């Protein structure tokens, strides 16, 4: 029976620490398990890059964090929508607004009804913002200072959240 190297023993003894950190990063048991395996494999394959006096736990957690970040960036790249239409028509459209469904239409109508009860000074900048206008454009259109536009949109959004907090 062959004796394991001290490095392998140390790496394998850190599995509980790695799993805990992986769960914090991924918030999913299966993804955390995969991340621990990827980290362990990468650490074992790169044993020659580890300096004996260095902090093994810190080194391994750094490897795990980097793997997680790289996987996240890869997923974002793969899920990015590229609009190849002539006028880039779909670029600014929400991919799933939910309005097409009966529940979504009801939600939009309900929110619109609540918003109609707000003072015009608050509902108008908010409606323009939701429609896709930039703060500067709203400021020019309504002849309002930029800070006023931003604060009114913020307070309208905050008030809507309070009113709709029980809405599912």
């Amino acid at each position: 029976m062959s004796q394991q190297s001290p490095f392998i023993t140390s790496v394998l003894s850190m599995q509980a620490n790695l799993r805990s950190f992986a769960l914090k990063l991924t918030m999913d048991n299966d993804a955390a398990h995969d991340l621990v395996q990827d980290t362990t494999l990468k650490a074992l394959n790169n044993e020659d890059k580890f300096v004996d006096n260095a902090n093994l736990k810190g080194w391994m957690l750094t490897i795990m964090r980097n793997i997680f970040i790289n996987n996240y960036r890869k997923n974002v790249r793969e899920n990015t929508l590229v609009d190849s239409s002539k006028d880039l028509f779909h670029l600014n459209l929400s991919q799933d607004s939910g309005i097409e469904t009966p529940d979504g239409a009801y939600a939009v109508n309900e929110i619109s009804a609540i918003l109609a009860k707000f003072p015009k000074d608050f509902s108008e900048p908010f409606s323009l913002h939701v429609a896709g206008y930039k703060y500067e454009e709203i400021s020019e259109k309504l002849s309002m200072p930029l800070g006023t536009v931003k604060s009114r949109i913020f307070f309208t959004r905050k008030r809507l959240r309070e009113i709709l907090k029980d809405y599912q």
Side-chain angles (χ1 to χ4, degrees):
M1 185 169 196
S2 66
Q3 189 78 354
Q4 284 185 345
S5 75
F7 179 79
I8 294 173
T9 305
S10 298
V11 167
L12 295 178
S13 70
M14 296 190 60
Q15 297 300 298
N17 292 339
L18 292 175
R19 177 133 177 87
S20 173
F21 187 57
L23 279 170
K24 287 179 184 175
L25 290 174
T26 63
M27 294 187 214
D28 177 32
N29 282 328
D30 293 334
H33 182 70
D34 291 343
L35 188 56
V36 170
Q37 286 182 333
D38 291 344
T39 303
T40 303
L41 180 64
K42 190 160 194 153
L44 292 174
N45 287 340
N46 292 294
E47 177 181 0
D48 57 319
K49 295 179 182 170
F50 179 71
V51 180
D52 286 335
N53 296 345
N55 177 1
L56 179 65
K57 181 178 178 181
W59 185 68
M60 293 202 47
L61 293 178
T62 300
I63 291 171
M64 179 176 282
R65 181 179 50 91
N66 290 341
I67 290 171
F68 176 76
I69 290 170
N70 290 339
N71 289 343
Y72 174 79
R73 288 179 179 159
K74 179 182 172 190
N75 288 337
V76 167
R77 266 193 317 273
E78 289 173 353
N79 294 324
T80 299
L81 176 70
V82 177
D83 186 6
S84 59
S85 63
K86 183 177 180 182
D87 297 324
L88 301 177
F89 175 76
H90 300 288
L91 201 56
N92 292 325
L93 293 178
S94 172
Q95 297 306 309
D96 183 22
S97 64
I99 294 174
E100 292 79 21
T101 66
D103 292 339
Y106 176 73
V108 169
N109 291 338
E110 186 175 349
I111 292 169
S112 297
I114 293 170
L115 196 56
K117 296 176 185 175
F118 282 44
K120 187 176 179 183
D121 290 344
F122 286 85
S123 64
E124 196 171 13
F126 182 79
S127 296
L128 290 170
H129 181 66
V130 169
Y133 287 91
K134 294 184 177 6
Y135 291 123
E136 293 82 9
E137 295 170 332
I138 298 169
S139 174
E140 288 176 24
K141 187 173 181 112
L142 300 178
S143 302
M144 254 183 225
L146 183 63
T148 303
V149 168
K150 289 181 177 181
S151 67
R152 289 188 178 169
I153 291 170
F154 171 79
F155 287 118
T156 303
R157 184 182 299 132
K158 183 177 177 184
R159 184 70 183 128
L160 277 172
R161 277 193 197 123
E162 289 171 4
I163 293 170
L164 299 170
K165 71 181 174 200
D166 295 329
Y167 186 79
Q168 293 277 338

